Amino acid sequence: MESKSCFIQSKENGVQGKRIHGNGVHHAAKTGSIKPAEQKARKPRWNIRASEMSRNTLNPIRAIVDCMKLTPNPDKPMIALSIGDPTVFGNLPTDENVLQAMKNAIDSHKYNGYAPSVGYMQSRESVAKFYSCPEAPLEGKDVILTSGCSQAIDLAISVLCNPGQNILAPCPGFSLYKTLAVSLGIQVKLYNLQPEKCWEIDLHHLESLIDEKTTCLIVNNPSNPCGSVYSKEHLQQILAVASRHCIPILADEIYADMVFPGCGFHSLAALSTDVPILSCGGLAKRWLVPGWRMGWILIHDRAQAFGPEIREGLVKLSQRILGPCTIVQGALDCILNNTPQDFYSNTISLIQSNSQICYNALSTIPGLSPVKPSGAMYLMVGIEMKHFPSFQSDVDFTERLVTEQSVFCLPATAFDYPNFFRIVVTVPQHMMVEACGRIREFCQAHYCPSSPDRNDLDQ
């Protein structure tokens, strides 16, 4: 079929006429009023620049690690305690029921097409039912499925904040919060965690950071990188601060229920009566499938503080891409409901055992101060830098640890917390023991007792 067109007569600005095609594309026929020499002089030049958002995007972990000189000792096999991926060494496979759910979803041929950007309603209802409790009831409409917990955090920050506003994030804390916020022109104010109090929040410092431009408080529990788990009482204190200042909470709960025996996990939403909460989670850690990229946002708003606007905003933001993997969505109900309790318990048992081995071993090394974890997959270790004068920083310390002992721990400068390093405790147990032995050997080689105080020498 030929496209229709019409011709409009015009002689203004040297344009003879304009032909309007049926496809809506306009083409102008110009006179020869511009001389060839002028056209050559005005020839455009390539001037392609990266966007301001891309220039403002920085992942602190990559920025630090990529600049480190990591040359392992060729006489010792490398032990990487730096990556928060529980699948790296193969000692923590997911459950067979999880795999079977995926196979069934594929074999059904039902999940090969596009899904709604927020996820299939049946899958959202499965997540809602799994996490709903009398204190914090959920329905399918309260769940947004995302491409991993990282996208859940991205959507939550994006819907709550505008450029020029600020969010409150933990220090030390997961570097992604800062990466996402700064790229959007949002200021990040870091509130202190207290290692001497098992990484509880310094509530006075937190409250001192709040101003009229504060739009979101991020709470990560259980914590990456600290491995801490907050008590019910401490969570209620955090909620009280948020309530006083009418600030919504982004609860990063990707490690929900990954706590050691004797500790209990309490979701913030179950303790809140008025503070609206966007709780971010996913399959990655508890089900040991980070590469499957299945996350979610749980919208808790019993007092209707969010209203319809935040929900609509989340839907619109989710439409920028076509949502998470449909195969995983199809398997989600079976994954959540058919995974046996033994699988969760065995995972926690291994992590706790490694944590205990690591904490006990490093506690006896002069110059190191590990903080005992209660969950997640991590342990933070303080470095008494005055006893290691040959190193300028935690980055220098961990870099040399790789060079001499082939043990790679992540310097906590990556979490805005210098003079510490983070250990991932999901490696096979014999590797955990070996790594601790090498760290001991390294510290013994470089440790220097504190020199006597000059006043003592004068006496």
Side-chain angles (χ1 to χ4, degrees), residues 116-130:
S117 64
V118 294
Y120 291 122
M121 178 52 75
Q122 64 189 40
S123 304
R124 296 164 66 194
E125 288 174 344
S126 295
V127 174
K129 184 178 180 180
F130 188 80

Side-chain angles (χ1 to χ4, degrees), residues 240-262:
V241 172
S243 180
R244 274 197 299 275
H245 297 275
C246 296
I247 297 173
I249 290 179
L250 190 170
D252 181 355
E253 297 180 336
I254 185 63
Y255 296 97
D257 295 305
M258 292 186 71
V259 299
F260 301 157

Side-chain angles (χ1 to χ4, degrees), residues 103-119:
K103 294 172 185 176
N104 292 343
I106 293 172
D107 291 341
S108 74
H109 302 287
K110 294 180 180 179
Y111 307 105
N112 297 331
Y114 292 130
S117 64
V118 294

Side-chain angles (χ1 to χ4, degrees), residues 100-172:
Q100 189 60 51
M102 283 289 282
K103 294 172 185 176
N104 292 343
I106 293 172
D107 291 341
S108 74
H109 302 287
K110 294 180 180 179
Y111 307 105
N112 297 331
Y114 292 130
S117 64
V118 294
Y120 291 122
M121 178 52 75
Q122 64 189 40
S123 304
R124 296 164 66 194
E125 288 174 344
S126 295
V127 174
K129 184 178 180 180
F130 188 80
Y131 285 102
S132 186
C133 63
E135 299 81 12
L138 289 167
E139 300 177 23
K141 64 182 178 64
D142 302 318
V143 178
I144 306 287
L145 298 184
T146 61
S147 181
C149 188
S150 294
Q151 194 205 6
I153 294 168
D154 185 18
L155 295 183
I157 292 175
S158 298
V159 80
L160 293 174
C161 310
N162 287 310
Q165 295 178 324
N166 66 72
I167 62 174
L168 309 179
C171 182

